[in-house]
Each structure stands twice: as C-alpha cells, then as structure tokens.
Amino acid sequence: MDRYAVVGNPVSHSLSPEIHKAFAAETGERLRYDKLLAPLDGFAVTAAEFFERGGRGLNVTLPFKGDACRWVDEPQPAAARCNAVNTIALEGGKTLGFNTDGIGLVRDLEAQAVPIAGRRLLLIGAGGAVSGILDALVEENPASVRIANRTPAKAEALAERHGTKVAAVPLDRLDGRFDLIINGTSAGLDGDGGLIAPPFAAGAQCYDLLYSRDGQTPFCRWAKQAGAAWVSDGLGMLVEQAAAAFTIWRGRSPSTRDLLRSLRSGTAA
Ligand code: ATR
C-alpha cells in the first residue's frame, strides 16, 4: 500500500490521518497515512528515511515547513516564494515541495461565502502561517492588505514582496477599518486572543488560522465578544489544504464539506 504521513513536533494532536483516511475511503484510493514525530533538529533525517523506505508523500506541519522547503529537491514556485512547504510528493525519483495552505484558506472562505475581492484585509502576525497564505490572498484581488505584527520588521519583510496594495503597520499603530481580519499568530495558544483593539473587530469578519474541533479558539471567542459580524476558526482550511495535497498525490479531488461537518461533530472515521 502507498505510504503517506504527516511530520511535525508535536504531531500527536494532528487530524491529518483522520482526514486523509476519510478522503481515501471516499475516493476508493488504497493508502496508509501515519504520524511521524521528528526531533526538532531532525527533519531532514526523518524525511529522508521515510522516502528511502518507500514513502510516497509527506505533509509537513510546525515547526518544519521552512526546513522542508530547504530539503526538497524542487520547491515549486509558490512554496519557494513563501519559504514554506506543507506537502511533499515523490515524482520521478525527486521530492517536489508544494504549499497548499493558501489555496486551502481561499477555498474555505469561498465555501463559507466570504468574499476577498475588493475587501480591506488585516492580517495579524508575520510568521510562517501568514507568509504561507499571503500570496494566495493577494491573487484574489483584495482592495488592500495590512500586516500587523508584534515585531514590525517581519511584517515589513513580508509586505516588501508585494506592491503598494500590501503594507506593514505596527500592531499598536493600526487605523482605518477592515472587512476581513485573519489571525495568523500563535498568541491564541496561550490564551490571549485580543492582540488588536476591539473596535477593529466590531462589524468585521474574523478568521483564525488556528482551529479547534468546536470552533471556539481564543481568537474566535475574543472576536465574538468584540462584536465581529462573523467568526470562523481554521478547521475548514485544514480540510481544504489536505484535499489539495490529496489531489497532488492521487490525482483525485475528494469532497470536503461533509467531512468538515463530521470532524466538528466528532463522527469522522
Ligand atoms: P508560525 O509559523 O505559526 O507563524 P512563527 O513563525 O513563530 O509561527 O510566528 C508566530 C507569530 O505569532 C509571529 O507573528 C509572532 O510575532 P513576532 O513575530 O513578534 O514573534 C506572533 N506571536 C506569538 N506570540 C505572540 C504574542 N504573545 N503576542 C503577539 N504576537 C505573538
């Protein structure tokens, strides 16, 4: 059976095996999908061993997306631009590196009827998560994109890759109004969902790249309290980026929205 895995540290919480097993069952593809815990300084050894033993493809999660981009034989242009690979496929004896996070986010927003074109976007954070989605968002033609980060220099470096539509603003010097606010910081992990003043979220649509099964991440809870018009966590993005990876590996497009509902209710395989 063709072998796939998600590699990360930590990785025990990953929903990717559940998602890919559901895709395989739905499309009739025969494959095995495991979790691989790599030592923090051991991505290259773990990945090389996996492919030497006949592995066909890897998903890459935190904190290895940058390592993966450097390790693959051929990072694809979109992955190379954001310096992050979340999907590796073995083709013709070579490892190819892709990034499906951006398309995953765009497809989830589309599925939830949240427009990007013509809208004023605020991205909070400037780490790997924001770098991975920025190009895909810009391609959807928003009116403007502001990137606000605790460390302004990182936001400036990201904005520099783009034209005048994209600009960096220090977190404490935000002004104006935003239609869609996307949290790409890991701050929510330690319980602090409110990195911007509540009036910025009031009336806006707010999306968290982090997820939880019940959709109630700290950022989502905070945004709701701050009067957001609409709030979503990133579970739909996780399923959509996985579907894009599955299509790269198997040439089949699995359906996603029923699976998302099952994951929410805890009834997925
Ligand atoms: P990832 O790959 O998940 O994006 P990362 O590259 O470490 O991880 O980036 C984490 C992001 O969360 C960064 O934007 C970080 O801000 P800095 O660039 O200033 O470090 C942001 N972040 C993490 N904890 C934060 C906190 N308590 N307050 C504000 N921003 C925080």
Side-chain angles (χ1 to χ4, degrees), residues 51-52 55-56 71-74 89-96:
F51 285 106
E52 273 158 23
R56 302 286 310 164
W71 180 79
V72 291
D73 296 320
E74 292 179 9
L90 187 66
E91 273 176 38
K94 288 196 166 143
T95 49
L96 312 187

Side-chain angles (χ1 to χ4, degrees), residues 108-109 112-114 180-181 201 203-208 223-224 227-233:
D108 187 41
L109 289 171
Q112 301 201 68
V114 176
L180 176 59
I181 299 175
Q205 295 188 297
C206 291
Y207 190 101
D208 194 354
K224 225 176 269 170
W230 172 91
V231 170
S232 174
D233 76 336

Side-chain angles (χ1 to χ4, degrees), residues 1-8 11-21 31-38 46 50 53-61 249:
M1 231 191 281
D2 289 345
R3 282 184 56 218
Y4 298 85
V6 55
V7 54
V11 76
S12 60
H13 65 286
S14 173
L15 295 178
S16 292
E18 204 171 325
I19 294 171
H20 282 281
K21 280 172 197 164
L31 56 87
R32 180 176 148 185
Y33 192 108
D34 299 308
K35 293 176 191 171
L36 272 184
L37 177 69
T46 306
F50 176 79
R53 290 182 186 169
R56 302 286 310 164
L58 281 177
N59 280 135
V60 182
T61 187
W249 291 332

Side-chain angles (χ1 to χ4, degrees), residues 43 67-76 85 87-88 95-97:
F43 172 80
D67 290 345
C69 193
R70 286 182 289 277
W71 180 79
V72 291
D73 296 320
E74 292 179 9
Q76 302 303 290
V85 158
T87 302
I88 303 176
T95 49
L96 312 187

Side-chain angles (χ1 to χ4, degrees), residues 81-105:
R81 266 198 305 277
C82 60
N83 193 27
V85 158
N86 78 334
T87 302
I88 303 176
L90 187 66
E91 273 176 38
K94 288 196 166 143
T95 49
L96 312 187
F98 301 83
N99 190 307
T100 64
D101 287 328
I103 190 70
L105 171 64

